[in-house]
């Protein structure tokens, strides 16, 4: 702990545990505040990142790696926040960038992507079609695929969320970490950090992972509660219901097996939240002075009612700014 006291006040203070030890394109990402919401629940304000979402933790790793490799251009796919982060860091690195998003992505997020100089491609057909389009483009010569889903560098960035909690809580972690789950990048990064801290002897017990999905799009929760090791078969021509939590509205997460295994290994569980609870949670945190997007309040919506699943001390991430979507109608 003392070895960190004189290090840079960003996620790069944990360089000993990262695959890259520095970045010339850093925007000071990381080291976000931890504030109490109740006697047992605290919130980590990851919406106070440079591009206003927690995705900056992983995006800076991808963009720094791309800068060192020197591709002709970078390609990314996203429901919004990962795309804005990759676009910003590519702009910082001087790398041409194309971001593929599903049609209907928040106009404020697409505006931010364009503002950073990235080319935006809106894809009909939802999140899976968007990923397929990006992968096809990534097969072209000279292209770096900045995949926040598959590239391990991204997870090494998101794991710093837990390293910061460990430092801020004086060398311990809470009893449970509540994490919003779509593609699972924050959850898998958190699981990686917990495993590393435990292996190093820096924590004795591992926190439970409470994975949160929108009730409208909850394929992982359904598989978990059915006792399955992978996603359940999809209904023919199934179309996900719309949800305010667009950032976690992933109908077929490709890393489902790893996500389900990580939650089970931690002794955790999955919780789902209906749309009205998301609206109420957004208004509630706004009344506490915290302006957070609808996806970003999903965990608070899930845990604020209490219950056995959220016993003990819990940390929730507020992981995207309200400016990204505005208030839910």
């Amino acid at each position: 702990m003392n070895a960190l006291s004189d290090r840079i006040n960003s996620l790069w203070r944990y360089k000993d545990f990262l695959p890259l030890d520095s970045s010339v394109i850093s925007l000071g990402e990381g080291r976000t505040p931890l504030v109490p919401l109740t006697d047992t629940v605290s919130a980590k304000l990851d919406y106070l990142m440079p591009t206003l979402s927690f995705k900056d933790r992983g995006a800076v790793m991808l963009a720094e790696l791309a800068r060192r490799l020197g591709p002709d251009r970078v390609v990314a796919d996203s429901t919004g926040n990962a795309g804005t982060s990759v676009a910003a860091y590519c702009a910082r690195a001087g790398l041409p960038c194309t971001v593929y998003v599903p049609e209907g992505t928040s106009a404020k997020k697409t505006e931010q992507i364009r503002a950073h100089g990235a080319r935006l491609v809106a894809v009909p057909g939802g999140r899976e079609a968007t990923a397929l389009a990006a992968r096809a483009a990534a097969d072209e010569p000279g292209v770096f695929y900045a995949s926040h889903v598959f590239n391990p560098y991204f997870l090494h960035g998101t794991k710093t969320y837990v390293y910061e909690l460990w430092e801020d809580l004086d060398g311990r972690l809470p009893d449970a970490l509540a994490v919003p789950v779509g593609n699972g990048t924050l959850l898998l990064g958190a699981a990686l950090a917990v495993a590393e801290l435990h292996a190093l002897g820096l924590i004795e017990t591992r926190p439970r992972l409470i994975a949160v999905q929108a009730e409208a799009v909850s394929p992982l929760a359904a598989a978990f509660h059915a006792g399955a090791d992978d996603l359940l078969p999809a209904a023919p021509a199934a179309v996900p219901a719309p949800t305010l939590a667009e950032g976690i509205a992933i109908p077929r997460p490709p890393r489902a097996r790893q996500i389900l295994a990580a939650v089970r290994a931690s002794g955790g569980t999955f919780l789902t939240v209906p749309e009205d609870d998301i609206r109420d949670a957004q208004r509630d945190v706004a009344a506490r002075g915290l302006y957070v997007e609808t996806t970003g309040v999903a965990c608070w919506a899930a845990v604020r009612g209490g219950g056995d699943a959220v016993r003990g001390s819990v940390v929730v991430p507020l992981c995207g700014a309200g400016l990204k979507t505005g208030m839910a109608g």
Side-chain angles (χ1 to χ4, degrees):
M1 186 80 70
N2 291 338
L4 297 172
S5 61
D6 60 350
R7 290 198 176 183
I8 188 170
N9 194 37
S10 75
L11 63 80
W12 296 100
R13 68 198 283 109
Y14 312 110
K15 62 182 181 179
D16 297 339
F17 309 103
L18 296 173
L20 303 174
D21 64 3
S22 64
S23 172
V24 300
I25 60 169
S26 174
L27 293 166
E29 56 286 332
R31 300 296 292 145
T32 54
L34 183 67
V35 301
L37 295 179
T38 71
D39 290 342
T40 58
V41 180
S42 295
K44 189 155 175 61
L45 310 190
D46 256 26
Y47 72 92
L48 299 178
M49 290 282 205
T51 77
L52 309 181
S53 93
F54 87 94
K55 295 289 176 64
D56 291 355
R57 294 184 182 275
V60 68
M61 300 291 292
L62 293 183
E64 176 60 27
L65 177 61
R67 185 192 69 81
R68 297 183 187 193
L69 294 174
D72 295 329
R73 66 187 178 105
V74 173
V75 164
D77 57 288
S78 169
T79 53
N81 282 340
T84 62
S85 289
V86 171
Y89 284 100
C90 282
R92 179 84 165 164
L95 292 169
C97 178
T98 301
V99 179
Y100 291 76
V101 300
E103 278 187 344
T105 296
S106 165
K108 294 182 180 182
K109 293 178 183 178
T110 57
E111 179 183 354
Q112 187 179 2
I113 291 169
R114 289 193 179 100
H116 292 307
R119 175 173 171 253
L120 184 78
V121 179
V123 180
R127 186 64 181 89
E128 291 179 38
T130 302
L132 288 173
R135 287 177 209 162
D139 285 338
E140 298 173 9
V143 174
F144 178 89
Y145 182 27
S147 172
H148 65 288
V149 179
F150 294 111
N151 194 308
Y153 279 68
F154 195 92
L155 296 187
H156 280 285
T158 61
K159 79 179 182 185
T160 59
Y161 172 88
V162 171
Y163 276 87
E164 289 178 19
L165 289 178
W166 173 82
E167 186 179 356
D168 290 342
L169 294 172
D170 296 323
R172 62 181 180 85
L173 291 176
D175 296 314
L177 297 170
V179 186
V181 178
N183 277 312
T185 53
L186 182 54
L187 184 138
L188 292 174
L192 176 61
V194 168
E196 290 177 350
L197 288 166
H198 188 264
L200 290 166
L202 296 174
I203 55 172
E204 293 184 4
T205 58
R206 306 187 190 202
R208 304 183 315 278
L209 297 176
I210 301 173
V212 177
Q213 295 204 287
E215 191 176 89
V217 186
S218 51
L220 290 161
F224 180 88
H225 292 299
D229 294 330
D230 205 344
L231 298 174
L232 303 176
V239 177
T243 175
L244 293 166
E246 65 177 8
I248 53 173
I250 310 297
R252 308 292 296 176
R255 302 185 74 168
R257 293 183 69 89
Q258 291 170 271
I259 296 166
L260 292 165
V263 174
R264 287 198 175 99
S266 76
T269 191
F270 272 81
L271 300 177
T272 61
V273 288
E275 298 304 292
D276 284 347
D277 286 6
I278 294 172
R279 290 187 182 90
D280 289 346
Q282 189 187 35
R283 288 193 292 266
D284 181 78
V285 296
R288 298 167 187 259
L290 307 168
Y291 188 37
V292 183
E293 71 167 317
T294 43
T295 300
V297 298
C299 289
W300 176 233
V303 308
R304 68 183 181 139
D308 184 63
V310 294
R311 65 190 182 279
S313 58
V314 184
V315 171
V316 301
L318 301 181
C319 47
L323 297 173
K324 298 272 191 176
T325 59
M327 293 295 289

